[in-house]
Amino acid sequence: LRLTFHDAIAISPALEAEGKFGGGGADGSIMIFSKTETAFHPNIGLDEVVESFRPFQERSGMGVADFIQFSGAVGTSNCPGAPVLNVSIGRTDATRPAPDGLVPEPFHDVDTILARFADAGEFDELETVWFLIAHSVAAQNDIDPTVSHAPFDSTPEIMDGQFFIETQLRGEGFIGKAGIEGVAKSPVRGEFRLQSDELLARDNRTA
Ligand code: HEM
């Protein structure tokens, strides 16, 4: 699911308007040009995901761009509580890597995050928050490796609204190392809170 997002968000009409290449969005570039794109800072950890997917993609007969979105939809639909997602097929695979700098980082402020979603797909504040339902079935591994697999809510195996409820709670402490960029104090033992989720839950445009 994270891979679907990091492939798809890498598109920028704003860059194109400046005469630069803005990326192709959900074009499979993160997997086709994985050496380049998984080295981008926000894509940390996705190299392993890409390589574990590759044999399945090669045998699937599907294009890379479609395979990423299809497998993300299947994986998400398999989560208890999730709807069965429809997938549209027929994307064109990338012929060049996306530029760096288009994937949101956990240390970005709300203005930066909202501007990025607005540029990528004309998504508004509400749609940006809707996307974050993904963090209901998510964990961190690489932001603080001392607590890898730390989930973002107390029910990471269930696609539910618990992530949104718990992100509203006051943070009490760091479950791993203190002072890591992009990490906020979390309210529940064993739970990890990204600073971006903390800020979005407290801004009057997105709370
Ligand atoms: C403001 C936007 C977002 C930021 C800053 C952000 C950042 C992050 C970070 C830092 C991690 C932890 C990575 C690691 O250490 O392994 C993560 C995990 C994850 N994110 Fe996001 N994310 C955002 C939005 C999204 C969206 C829109 C989706 C999908 C639609 C998504 C899906 C996931 C998933 C599924 C994981 C868990 C991956 C795993 O368990 O290995 N995120 N996100």
Side-chain angles (χ1 to χ4, degrees):
L1 177 55
R2 183 172 169 234
L3 191 67
T4 67
F5 174 53
H6 288 228
D7 192 35
I9 195 74
I11 185 165
S12 173
L15 281 181
E16 296 279 343
E18 291 172 17
K20 298 174 188 158
F21 177 55
D27 61 358
S29 62
I30 199 164
M31 201 158 155
I32 298 166
F33 300 100
S34 57
K35 289 271 180 299
T36 302
E37 288 198 31
T38 63
F40 296 166
H41 189 265
N43 290 339
I44 187 165
L46 286 175
D47 51 340
E48 287 174 33
V49 178
V50 163
E51 291 320 315
S52 67
F53 270 30
R54 204 180 294 286
F56 295 97
Q57 184 276 321
E58 285 170 356
R59 271 182 282 155
S60 72
M62 296 175 83
V64 178
D66 281 340
F67 183 84
I68 289 173
Q69 300 303 324
F70 174 73
S71 51
V74 171
T76 304
S77 301
N78 282 338
C79 295
V84 175
L85 298 171
N86 291 323
V87 194
S88 301
I89 296 300
R91 294 169 188 78
T92 303
D93 278 355
T95 53
R96 57 192 287 197
D100 197 1
L102 297 179
V103 181
E105 296 267 22
F107 50 82
H108 284 164
D109 62 20
V110 174
D111 285 349
T112 305
I113 291 168
L114 292 178
R116 186 73 279 282
F117 277 86
D119 177 31
E122 296 181 17
F123 299 117
D124 65 16
E125 292 88 346
L126 184 60
E127 289 167 322
T128 300
V129 173
W130 284 346
F131 276 120
L132 288 173
I133 187 66
H135 284 182
S136 161
V137 287
Q140 77 84 35
N141 294 299
D142 296 299
I143 303 300
D144 183 350
T146 68
V147 285
S148 65
H149 307 300
F152 296 151
D153 73 0
S154 58
T155 57
E157 72 288 356
I158 303 171
M159 174 75 82
D160 60 7
Q162 202 59 26
F163 162 76
F164 293 114
I165 294 170
E166 290 171 18
T167 317
Q168 296 280 348
L169 300 175
R170 191 174 61 240
E172 295 287 345
F174 295 103
I175 63 161
K177 277 174 64 180
I180 298 177
E181 191 180 36
V183 182
K185 290 180 180 172
S186 55
V188 177
R189 195 183 294 267
E191 188 170 308
F192 197 87
R193 181 178 289 173
L194 298 176
Q195 184 184 298
S196 48
D197 291 335
E198 157 108 359
L199 295 178
L200 287 160
R202 282 159 185 76
D203 189 285
N204 60 16
R205 293 165 291 178
T206 47

